[in-house]
Amino acid sequence: MTIPNSTASTAENASSRLPAEEKRIVSELATNSNEPDSYFAVSKRWYASWRKYVNTPLGGGAAAPRPGPIDNSDIIETDPYLGRKSLAKEKAYVLVTQLAHIRDYYDMRKGELLDPLSNKSLEESGLVTNQDILLEVDERGLAGLVNLGNTCYMNSAVQCLAHTPPMHEYFLRDHTHQGELAKAFGKLLTELWSSGTNAVAPRVFKTKVDKAAPQFIGHYQHDSHELLLALLTGLHQDSDIVNVFQGQCKSSLVCPVCGETANTYDSFTSLSLPLPSTPTWSISLLSCLDEYLGEEPLGPDNMWLCPECKDKRQANKKLDLWKLPEILVFQLKRFKTSKYFLKKIDAFVDFPVDELDLSKYVENGESCLYELYAVSNHDGGIGLGHYTAYAKMIDDDNEWYWYDDSLVSPVDESEIVSSAAYLLFYRRVGSEIETKSAEVSKTDDMDLSS
Ligand SMILES: [Zn+2]
């Protein structure tokens, strides 16, 4: 690891570094730092622009501009009566460790650290705008996961699970698991929820995943959905908490000739929605769901022996949602096997963030309002792609964060819905949720699939 020391480093030679190189160095610092006893507040706006810059793809697309030196002017406010400067409470900031190293890239002077127990105002401590501020805050749940070599698919799924409230509540409370996978998962979640902003290396967990599901052995790129299902299956052997993901579908066969119907009930852990493979600008989540649940004729090679007609008939098959789970996961089927190769469908699926209302799909009148709290994203093509996750800090600051392996940064809610979205994690909410009916009906009516 080559890190320029602060005296040798200038903003000029930092600019000559490639964005990806800068990201790698800061990622390594996030991983290798010891338990920090101090954090630095950096403007969320500035940090987001830096993240955009370092994620500029190599040789393609419009490059995001490199932000100037760390600018905290938007998170500092001055008391109009006392003239004191302080951290604006309602302004968005992100806490980072190792700011000194980020600062190296911008040739900033090293500032004095504040004593957290000091009663001095920021100004009395010699702090002015554009300088870093030390503060102690609770920042659990903001740790990244080290990439062990093509393990972004695993990191992405684990971050989504780690931010699933019933999962982390359960695994942080109960440490009596017998199974190795559940033990390792519980330990990993405990580390993620107690390690500050330091990245956690999920090495032991990976070996237990490999043991439970040998297809993941080695360092090859895999599917975050496949990992999610394998992990939930493995955890289920040890704990019933996984049942929060379990819903039921009713599958009906209808004989058009006599109207005879046969129902079977199957449980599901996620719903895998087909996407249009023809070039499409955008489609709504509910129209994908309608397509998935739609009635379709069984092929002539799949005739049904109708108990009424007592003969083989061509039947129609129809799926219905029967029982919806507390945690509802949708897989947007972006990876499609054609005759000779696998291709990726980049269609933009418009899905609701605040309120997904599935009432019209379920007959039994249960609460069917859901809110999005995590997304597993896949960027790029098959094999070369990269998985990341968005997750909301529920019951904390209720802000969204972007988990890109070891790096974690705040992200605006408006960026959550993108054509990279692959797995959508919704949780059931009570009917007391504030309804934004105007916005929701607008989303529902938007069907540009044709
Ligand atoms: Zn019949």
Side-chain angles (χ1 to χ4, degrees):
M1 186 168 65
T2 50
I3 307 159
N5 65 42
S6 59
T7 51
S9 167
T10 67
E12 200 176 315
N13 70 25
S15 323
S16 63
R17 206 172 278 118
L18 289 168
E21 172 76 353
E22 191 168 313
K23 177 183 173 185
R24 186 187 60 77
I25 292 170
V26 176
S27 296
E28 285 178 3
L29 289 164
T31 305
N32 296 335
S33 55
N34 296 320
E35 189 66 41
D37 51 12
S38 60
Y39 301 102
F40 302 87
V42 173
S43 157
K44 179 174 170 176
R45 191 191 56 185
W46 183 89
Y47 194 63
S49 65
W50 179 75
R51 289 301 310 277
K52 267 194 185 133
Y53 166 70
V54 296
N55 279 295
T56 300
L58 265 178
R66 189 167 202 272
I70 296 170
D71 175 8
N72 273 343
S73 55
D74 64 322
I75 60 170
I76 304 285
E77 66 185 8
T78 306
D79 186 305
Y81 301 106
L82 301 170
R84 286 179 175 177
K85 291 185 196 313
S86 64
L87 195 63
K89 281 191 177 62
E90 75 278 18
K91 295 293 184 179
Y93 57 88
V94 58
L95 296 168
V96 296
T97 57
Q98 298 280 353
L99 180 63
H101 295 281
I102 292 183
R103 193 170 42 199
D104 282 344
Y105 302 121
Y106 298 99
D107 196 30
M108 289 178 69
R109 287 172 296 123
K110 281 204 159 88
E112 289 282 315
L113 293 190
L114 275 178
D115 175 0
L117 301 175
S118 162
N119 289 324
K120 283 182 188 172
S121 76
L122 297 173
E123 198 168 44
E124 284 163 350
S125 300
L127 273 177
V128 291
T129 300
N130 295 347
Q131 276 198 330
D132 46 321
I133 296 171
L134 170 71
L135 74 171
E136 299 275 339
V137 287
D138 182 12
E139 40 153 34
R140 298 174 312 139
L142 295 179
L145 283 163
V146 176
N147 192 321
L148 305 175
N150 282 326
T151 51
C152 57
Y153 69 93
M154 181 179 83
N155 292 348
S156 169
V158 166
Q159 289 289 8
C160 291
L161 285 181
H163 290 83
T164 299
M167 291 295 275
H168 74 240
E169 282 159 19
Y170 174 82
F171 278 99
L172 296 189
R173 190 180 62 233
D174 189 336
H175 299 281
T176 60
H177 310 289
Q178 298 302 308
E180 288 183 25
L181 183 63
K183 268 185 193 162
F185 184 68
K187 191 164 182 291
L188 181 59
L189 252 57
T190 307
E191 284 173 4
L192 283 177
W193 283 90
S194 61
S195 79
T197 54
N198 281 351
V200 175
R203 288 180 218 286
V204 175
F205 173 72
K206 173 71 164 59
T207 64
K208 303 304 176 191
V209 168
D210 291 350
K211 206 168 168 185
Q215 69 266 36
F216 296 109
I217 291 175
H219 296 279
Y220 306 99
Q221 186 62 282
H222 288 277
D223 183 333
S224 67
H225 184 244
E226 193 188 343
L227 188 280
L228 174 76
L229 295 188
L231 181 53
L232 291 178
T233 302
L235 293 175
H236 203 184
Q237 294 168 1
D238 208 274
S239 155
D240 286 340
I241 188 66
V242 172
N243 290 342
V244 296
F245 289 90
Q246 211 140 89
Q248 262 192 339
C249 264
K250 182 176 82 171
S251 174
S252 312
L253 283 177
V254 182
C255 172
V257 176
C258 66
E260 177 72 8
T261 302
N263 298 327
T264 52
Y265 297 85
D266 301 303
S267 61
F268 63 83
T269 314
S270 67
L271 295 174
S272 296
L273 305 184
L275 299 186
S277 49
T278 51
T280 303
W281 284 109
S282 108
I283 188 172
S284 76
L285 180 69
L286 289 186
S287 42
C288 295
L289 184 60
D290 287 337
E291 177 70 23
Y292 176 71
L293 299 173
E295 192 166 323
E296 58 173 338
L298 289 181
D301 53 344
N302 204 357
M303 302 287 266
W304 181 42
L305 182 60
C306 173
E308 178 69 20
C309 303
K310 296 183 174 54
D311 200 356
K312 282 196 169 184
R313 297 285 189 218
Q314 183 160 18
N316 290 339
K317 194 180 176 190
K318 168 95 183 79
L319 267 184
D320 283 294
L321 300 177
W322 187 251
K323 187 179 168 293
L324 287 172
E326 184 181 339
I327 302 294
L328 179 56
V329 179
F330 291 103
Q331 177 201 19
L332 306 176
K333 292 176 77 174
R334 297 196 177 279
F335 306 110
K336 193 179 167 77
T337 319
S338 71
K339 202 168 180 183
Y340 300 108
F341 55 91
L342 199 63
K343 73 168 191 170
K344 189 182 173 194
I345 301 169
D346 285 312
F348 178 89
V349 178
D350 192 9
F351 51 90
V353 173
D354 290 333
E355 193 179 279
L356 171 67
D357 188 354
L358 297 176
S359 306
K360 69 169 178 177
Y361 294 94
V362 181
E363 294 163 31
N364 61 14
E366 61 182 315
S367 166
C368 295
L369 287 183
Y370 286 83
E371 81 171 349
L372 186 79
Y373 68 89
V375 180
S376 171
N377 297 302
H378 182 270
D379 275 295
I382 290 163
L384 304 163
H386 180 53
Y387 286 95
T388 63
Y390 290 135
K392 189 177 177 176
M393 290 292 288
I394 292 170
D395 299 329
D396 193 284
D397 61 5
N398 284 309
E399 295 276 349
W400 285 90
Y401 290 86
W402 184 23
Y403 296 84
D404 179 2
D405 287 329
S406 50
L407 285 179
V408 182
S409 54
V411 61
D412 197 79
E413 191 176 297
S414 63
E415 292 178 49
I416 303 304
V417 182
S418 80
S419 59
Y422 177 50
L423 304 178
L424 311 178
F425 288 71
Y426 284 91
R427 63 172 193 145
R428 203 202 311 251
V429 289
S431 50
E432 74 275 8
I433 189 171
E434 233 181 312
T435 50
K436 296 178 180 171
S437 47
E439 280 177 41
V440 170
S441 61
K442 190 176 144 217
T443 311
D444 289 354
D445 292 339
M446 203 162 80
D447 181 358
L448 306 172
S449 55
S450 54

PDB file of all heavy atoms in Angstrom, residues 27-33 97 142-147 159 191-192 195-202 405-408:
ATOM      1  N   SER A  27     -10.252   3.115   0.415  1.00  0.00           N
ATOM      2  CA  SER A  27     -10.904   1.873   0.860  1.00  0.00           C
ATOM      3  C   SER A  27      -9.984   1.080   1.769  1.00  0.00           C
ATOM      4  O   SER A  27     -10.404   0.550   2.792  1.00  0.00           O
ATOM      5  CB  SER A  27     -11.266   0.985  -0.336  1.00  0.00           C
ATOM      6  OG  SER A  27     -12.214   1.603  -1.142  1.00  0.00           O
ATOM      7  N   GLU A  28      -8.715   0.990   1.381  1.00  0.00           N
ATOM      8  CA  GLU A  28      -7.760   0.243   2.194  1.00  0.00           C
ATOM      9  C   GLU A  28      -7.573   0.893   3.552  1.00  0.00           C
ATOM     10  O   GLU A  28      -7.447   0.226   4.564  1.00  0.00           O
ATOM     11  CB  GLU A  28      -6.415   0.123   1.466  1.00  0.00           C
ATOM     12  CG  GLU A  28      -6.467  -0.892   0.337  1.00  0.00           C
ATOM     13  CD  GLU A  28      -5.162  -0.987  -0.440  1.00  0.00           C
ATOM     14  OE1 GLU A  28      -4.180  -0.300  -0.074  1.00  0.00           O
ATOM     15  OE2 GLU A  28      -5.144  -1.755  -1.411  1.00  0.00           O
ATOM     16  N   LEU A  29      -7.594   2.218   3.553  1.00  0.00           N
ATOM     17  CA  LEU A  29      -7.460   2.926   4.830  1.00  0.00           C
ATOM     18  C   LEU A  29      -8.668   2.648   5.711  1.00  0.00           C
ATOM     19  O   LEU A  29      -8.549   2.449   6.908  1.00  0.00           O
ATOM     20  CB  LEU A  29      -7.319   4.427   4.582  1.00  0.00           C
ATOM     21  CG  LEU A  29      -5.977   4.835   3.961  1.00  0.00           C
ATOM     22  CD1 LEU A  29      -6.054   6.232   3.404  1.00  0.00           C
ATOM     23  CD2 LEU A  29      -4.880   4.718   5.002  1.00  0.00           C
ATOM     24  N   ALA A  30      -9.854   2.603   5.079  1.00  0.00           N
ATOM     25  CA  ALA A  30     -11.079   2.343   5.838  1.00  0.00           C
ATOM     26  C   ALA A  30     -11.024   0.947   6.443  1.00  0.00           C
ATOM     27  O   ALA A  30     -11.566   0.684   7.503  1.00  0.00           O
ATOM     28  CB  ALA A  30     -12.300   2.484   4.939  1.00  0.00           C
ATOM     29  N   THR A  31     -10.340   0.042   5.754  1.00  0.00           N
ATOM     30  CA  THR A  31     -10.260  -1.338   6.204  1.00  0.00           C
ATOM     31  C   THR A  31      -9.218  -1.521   7.299  1.00  0.00           C
ATOM     32  O   THR A  31      -9.430  -2.227   8.263  1.00  0.00           O
ATOM     33  CB  THR A  31      -9.862  -2.232   5.018  1.00  0.00           C
ATOM     34  OG1 THR A  31     -10.789  -2.005   3.972  1.00  0.00           O
ATOM     35  CG2 THR A  31      -9.872  -3.687   5.407  1.00  0.00           C
ATOM     36  N   ASN A  32      -8.089  -0.864   7.131  1.00  0.00           N
ATOM     37  CA  ASN A  32      -6.949  -1.166   7.983  1.00  0.00           C
ATOM     38  C   ASN A  32      -6.876  -0.339   9.262  1.00  0.00           C
ATOM     39  O   ASN A  32      -6.094  -0.629  10.135  1.00  0.00           O
ATOM     40  CB  ASN A  32      -5.641  -0.975   7.202  1.00  0.00           C
ATOM     41  CG  ASN A  32      -5.560  -1.966   6.056  1.00  0.00           C
ATOM     42  OD1 ASN A  32      -6.176  -3.015   6.106  1.00  0.00           O
ATOM     43  ND2 ASN A  32      -4.813  -1.634   5.018  1.00  0.00           N
ATOM     44  N   SER A  33      -7.698   0.692   9.358  1.00  0.00           N
ATOM     45  CA  SER A  33      -7.576   1.525  10.547  1.00  0.00           C
ATOM     46  C   SER A  33      -8.029   0.745  11.772  1.00  0.00           C
ATOM     47  O   SER A  33      -8.963  -0.040  11.721  1.00  0.00           O
ATOM     48  CB  SER A  33      -8.404   2.796  10.389  1.00  0.00           C
ATOM     49  OG  SER A  33      -9.735   2.481  10.089  1.00  0.00           O
ATOM     50  N   THR A  97     -13.320   8.155   9.497  1.00  0.00           N
ATOM     51  CA  THR A  97     -12.069   8.047  10.227  1.00  0.00           C
ATOM     52  C   THR A  97     -10.984   8.335   9.209  1.00  0.00           C
ATOM     53  O   THR A  97     -11.251   8.410   8.009  1.00  0.00           O
ATOM     54  CB  THR A  97     -11.883   6.631  10.781  1.00  0.00           C
ATOM     55  OG1 THR A  97     -11.948   5.725   9.678  1.00  0.00           O
ATOM     56  CG2 THR A  97     -12.984   6.297  11.760  1.00  0.00           C
ATOM     57  N   LEU A 142     -22.929   1.414   9.999  1.00  0.00           N
ATOM     58  CA  LEU A 142     -22.347   2.114   8.856  1.00  0.00           C
ATOM     59  C   LEU A 142     -21.001   1.530   8.460  1.00  0.00           C
ATOM     60  O   LEU A 142     -20.187   2.193   7.835  1.00  0.00           O
ATOM     61  CB  LEU A 142     -22.201   3.607   9.169  1.00  0.00           C
ATOM     62  CG  LEU A 142     -23.522   4.355   9.381  1.00  0.00           C
ATOM     63  CD1 LEU A 142     -23.254   5.821   9.707  1.00  0.00           C
ATOM     64  CD2 LEU A 142     -24.406   4.246   8.151  1.00  0.00           C
ATOM     65  N   ALA A 143     -20.739   0.286   8.843  1.00  0.00           N
ATOM     66  CA  ALA A 143     -19.470  -0.340   8.487  1.00  0.00           C
ATOM     67  C   ALA A 143     -19.577  -1.030   7.134  1.00  0.00           C
ATOM     68  O   ALA A 143     -20.611  -1.614   6.802  1.00  0.00           O
ATOM     69  CB  ALA A 143     -19.085  -1.364   9.556  1.00  0.00           C
ATOM     70  N   GLY A 144     -18.506  -0.964   6.371  1.00  0.00           N
ATOM     71  CA  GLY A 144     -18.454  -1.655   5.099  1.00  0.00           C
ATOM     72  C   GLY A 144     -17.963  -3.085   5.276  1.00  0.00           C
ATOM     73  O   GLY A 144     -17.637  -3.525   6.384  1.00  0.00           O
ATOM     74  N   LEU A 145     -17.926  -3.824   4.173  1.00  0.00           N
ATOM     75  CA  LEU A 145     -17.421  -5.202   4.175  1.00  0.00           C
ATOM     76  C   LEU A 145     -16.276  -5.297   3.168  1.00  0.00           C
ATOM     77  O   LEU A 145     -16.415  -4.879   2.017  1.00  0.00           O
ATOM     78  CB  LEU A 145     -18.539  -6.174   3.780  1.00  0.00           C
ATOM     79  CG  LEU A 145     -19.572  -6.496   4.863  1.00  0.00           C
ATOM     80  CD1 LEU A 145     -20.820  -7.114   4.244  1.00  0.00           C
ATOM     81  CD2 LEU A 145     -18.977  -7.437   5.908  1.00  0.00           C
ATOM     82  N   VAL A 146     -15.165  -5.862   3.621  1.00  0.00           N
ATOM     83  CA  VAL A 146     -13.999  -5.987   2.761  1.00  0.00           C
ATOM     84  C   VAL A 146     -14.296  -6.954   1.619  1.00  0.00           C
ATOM     85  O   VAL A 146     -14.910  -8.005   1.827  1.00  0.00           O
ATOM     86  CB  VAL A 146     -12.786  -6.486   3.572  1.00  0.00           C
ATOM     87  CG1 VAL A 146     -11.575  -6.717   2.674  1.00  0.00           C
ATOM     88  CG2 VAL A 146     -12.464  -5.512   4.687  1.00  0.00           C
ATOM     89  N   ASN A 147     -13.881  -6.591   0.422  1.00  0.00           N
ATOM     90  CA  ASN A 147     -14.000  -7.504  -0.707  1.00  0.00           C
ATOM     91  C   ASN A 147     -12.858  -8.510  -0.637  1.00  0.00           C
ATOM     92  O   ASN A 147     -11.684  -8.142  -0.688  1.00  0.00           O
ATOM     93  CB  ASN A 147     -13.944  -6.712  -2.020  1.00  0.00           C
ATOM     94  CG  ASN A 147     -14.344  -7.561  -3.211  1.00  0.00           C
ATOM     95  OD1 ASN A 147     -13.994  -8.750  -3.278  1.00  0.00           O
ATOM     96  ND2 ASN A 147     -15.064  -6.977  -4.142  1.00  0.00           N
ATOM     97  N   GLN A 159     -25.270  -6.924   3.396  1.00  0.00           N
ATOM     98  CA  GLN A 159     -25.658  -5.590   3.881  1.00  0.00           C
ATOM     99  C   GLN A 159     -27.179  -5.439   3.862  1.00  0.00           C
ATOM    100  O   GLN A 159     -27.750  -4.828   4.768  1.00  0.00           O
ATOM    101  CB  GLN A 159     -25.000  -4.484   3.045  1.00  0.00           C
ATOM    102  CG  GLN A 159     -23.500  -4.343   3.258  1.00  0.00           C
ATOM    103  CD  GLN A 159     -23.107  -3.766   4.627  1.00  0.00           C
ATOM    104  OE1 GLN A 159     -23.940  -3.594   5.518  1.00  0.00           O
ATOM    105  NE2 GLN A 159     -21.828  -3.479   4.806  1.00  0.00           N
ATOM    106  N   GLU A 191     -20.438  -7.533  14.540  1.00  0.00           N
ATOM    107  CA  GLU A 191     -19.301  -6.676  14.163  1.00  0.00           C
ATOM    108  C   GLU A 191     -19.765  -5.486  13.336  1.00  0.00           C
ATOM    109  O   GLU A 191     -19.341  -4.357  13.544  1.00  0.00           O
ATOM    110  CB  GLU A 191     -18.265  -7.480  13.368  1.00  0.00           C
ATOM    111  CG  GLU A 191     -17.427  -8.394  14.238  1.00  0.00           C
ATOM    112  CD  GLU A 191     -16.524  -9.324  13.424  1.00  0.00           C
ATOM    113  OE1 GLU A 191     -16.499  -9.209  12.183  1.00  0.00           O
ATOM    114  OE2 GLU A 191     -15.868 -10.157  14.041  1.00  0.00           O
ATOM    115  N   LEU A 192     -20.669  -5.762  12.387  1.00  0.00           N
ATOM    116  CA  LEU A 192     -21.153  -4.673  11.531  1.00  0.00           C
ATOM    117  C   LEU A 192     -21.874  -3.606  12.335  1.00  0.00           C
ATOM    118  O   LEU A 192     -21.846  -2.434  11.983  1.00  0.00           O
ATOM    119  CB  LEU A 192     -22.107  -5.221  10.457  1.00  0.00           C
ATOM    120  CG  LEU A 192     -21.468  -5.927   9.274  1.00  0.00           C
ATOM    121  CD1 LEU A 192     -22.543  -6.465   8.341  1.00  0.00           C
ATOM    122  CD2 LEU A 192     -20.549  -4.973   8.515  1.00  0.00           C
ATOM    123  N   SER A 195     -18.814  -1.699  14.909  1.00  0.00           N
ATOM    124  CA  SER A 195     -17.423  -1.396  14.568  1.00  0.00           C
ATOM    125  C   SER A 195     -17.223   0.025  14.071  1.00  0.00           C
ATOM    126  O   SER A 195     -16.235   0.299  13.417  1.00  0.00           O
ATOM    127  CB  SER A 195     -16.927  -2.369  13.509  1.00  0.00           C
ATOM    128  OG  SER A 195     -17.405  -1.966  12.253  1.00  0.00           O
ATOM    129  N   GLY A 196     -18.141   0.914  14.348  1.00  0.00           N
ATOM    130  CA  GLY A 196     -17.945   2.263  13.839  1.00  0.00           C
ATOM    131  C   GLY A 196     -17.996   2.245  12.334  1.00  0.00           C
ATOM    132  O   GLY A 196     -18.779   1.510  11.744  1.00  0.00           O
ATOM    133  N   THR A 197     -17.118   3.013  11.709  1.00  0.00           N
ATOM    134  CA  THR A 197     -17.146   3.040  10.247  1.00  0.00           C
ATOM    135  C   THR A 197     -16.081   2.145   9.641  1.00  0.00           C
ATOM    136  O   THR A 197     -15.847   2.164   8.450  1.00  0.00           O
ATOM    137  CB  THR A 197     -16.936   4.472   9.723  1.00  0.00           C
ATOM    138  OG1 THR A 197     -15.740   4.977  10.300  1.00  0.00           O
ATOM    139  CG2 THR A 197     -18.105   5.355  10.080  1.00  0.00           C
ATOM    140  N   ASN A 198     -15.383   1.375  10.486  1.00  0.00           N
ATOM    141  CA  ASN A 198     -14.357   0.493   9.935  1.00  0.00           C
ATOM    142  C   ASN A 198     -14.974  -0.657   9.156  1.00  0.00           C
ATOM    143  O   ASN A 198     -15.968  -1.228   9.576  1.00  0.00           O
ATOM    144  CB  ASN A 198     -13.513  -0.098  11.059  1.00  0.00           C
ATOM    145  CG  ASN A 198     -12.479   0.888  11.542  1.00  0.00           C
ATOM    146  OD1 ASN A 198     -12.293   1.938  10.926  1.00  0.00           O
ATOM    147  ND2 ASN A 198     -11.831   0.567  12.629  1.00  0.00           N
ATOM    148  N   ALA A 199     -14.337  -1.002   8.066  1.00  0.00           N
ATOM    149  CA  ALA A 199     -14.835  -2.134   7.291  1.00  0.00           C
ATOM    150  C   ALA A 199     -14.504  -3.445   8.011  1.00  0.00           C
ATOM    151  O   ALA A 199     -13.481  -3.557   8.677  1.00  0.00           O
ATOM    152  CB  ALA A 199     -14.208  -2.120   5.909  1.00  0.00           C
ATOM    153  N   VAL A 200     -15.391  -4.411   7.871  1.00  0.00           N
ATOM    154  CA  VAL A 200     -15.230  -5.723   8.497  1.00  0.00           C
ATOM    155  C   VAL A 200     -14.847  -6.725   7.409  1.00  0.00           C
ATOM    156  O   VAL A 200     -15.413  -6.708   6.316  1.00  0.00           O
ATOM    157  CB  VAL A 200     -16.555  -6.150   9.167  1.00  0.00           C
ATOM    158  CG1 VAL A 200     -16.454  -7.561   9.719  1.00  0.00           C
ATOM    159  CG2 VAL A 200     -16.954  -5.154  10.251  1.00  0.00           C
ATOM    160  N   ALA A 201     -13.893  -7.601   7.712  1.00  0.00           N
ATOM    161  CA  ALA A 201     -13.500  -8.625   6.744  1.00  0.00           C
ATOM    162  C   ALA A 201     -14.263  -9.921   7.049  1.00  0.00           C
ATOM    163  O   ALA A 201     -14.038 -10.538   8.080  1.00  0.00           O
ATOM    164  CB  ALA A 201     -11.998  -8.874   6.819  1.00  0.00           C
ATOM    165  N   PRO A 202     -15.182 -10.327   6.161  1.00  0.00           N
ATOM    166  CA  PRO A 202     -16.053 -11.474   6.467  1.00  0.00           C
ATOM    167  C   PRO A 202     -15.419 -12.819   6.127  1.00  0.00           C
ATOM    168  O   PRO A 202     -16.056 -13.676   5.508  1.00  0.00           O
ATOM    169  CB  PRO A 202     -17.287 -11.197   5.586  1.00  0.00           C
ATOM    170  CG  PRO A 202     -16.743 -10.467   4.402  1.00  0.00           C
ATOM    171  CD  PRO A 202     -15.532  -9.700   4.872  1.00  0.00           C
ATOM    172  N   ASP A 405     -18.747  -2.388  -1.005  1.00  0.00           N
ATOM    173  CA  ASP A 405     -17.709  -3.132  -0.297  1.00  0.00           C
ATOM    174  C   ASP A 405     -17.288  -2.383   0.971  1.00  0.00           C
ATOM    175  O   ASP A 405     -18.130  -2.130   1.809  1.00  0.00           O
ATOM    176  CB  ASP A 405     -16.525  -3.442  -1.221  1.00  0.00           C
ATOM    177  CG  ASP A 405     -16.883  -4.532  -2.247  1.00  0.00           C
ATOM    178  OD1 ASP A 405     -17.710  -5.397  -1.926  1.00  0.00           O
ATOM    179  OD2 ASP A 405     -16.346  -4.497  -3.371  1.00  0.00           O
ATOM    180  N   SER A 406     -16.002  -1.991   1.069  1.00  0.00           N
ATOM    181  CA  SER A 406     -15.559  -1.404   2.333  1.00  0.00           C
ATOM    182  C   SER A 406     -15.957   0.062   2.488  1.00  0.00           C
ATOM    183  O   SER A 406     -15.839   0.614   3.577  1.00  0.00           O
ATOM    184  CB  SER A 406     -14.042  -1.562   2.482  1.00  0.00           C
ATOM    185  OG  SER A 406     -13.402  -1.117   1.320  1.00  0.00           O
ATOM    186  N   LEU A 407     -16.422   0.677   1.417  1.00  0.00           N
ATOM    187  CA  LEU A 407     -16.792   2.099   1.510  1.00  0.00           C
ATOM    188  C   LEU A 407     -18.286   2.265   1.742  1.00  0.00           C
ATOM    189  O   LEU A 407     -19.101   1.616   1.101  1.00  0.00           O
ATOM    190  CB  LEU A 407     -16.399   2.829   0.227  1.00  0.00           C
ATOM    191  CG  LEU A 407     -14.918   3.122   0.039  1.00  0.00           C
ATOM    192  CD1 LEU A 407     -14.701   3.832  -1.288  1.00  0.00           C
ATOM    193  CD2 LEU A 407     -14.366   3.949   1.186  1.00  0.00           C
ATOM    194  N   VAL A 408     -18.615   3.150   2.652  1.00  0.00           N
ATOM    195  CA  VAL A 408     -20.013   3.460   2.933  1.00  0.00           C
ATOM    196  C   VAL A 408     -20.185   4.964   2.835  1.00  0.00           C
ATOM    197  O   VAL A 408     -19.375   5.717   3.380  1.00  0.00           O
ATOM    198  CB  VAL A 408     -20.413   2.986   4.357  1.00  0.00           C
ATOM    199  CG1 VAL A 408     -21.882   3.280   4.622  1.00  0.00           C
ATOM    200  CG2 VAL A 408     -20.132   1.499   4.516  1.00  0.00           C
TER     201      VAL A 408
END
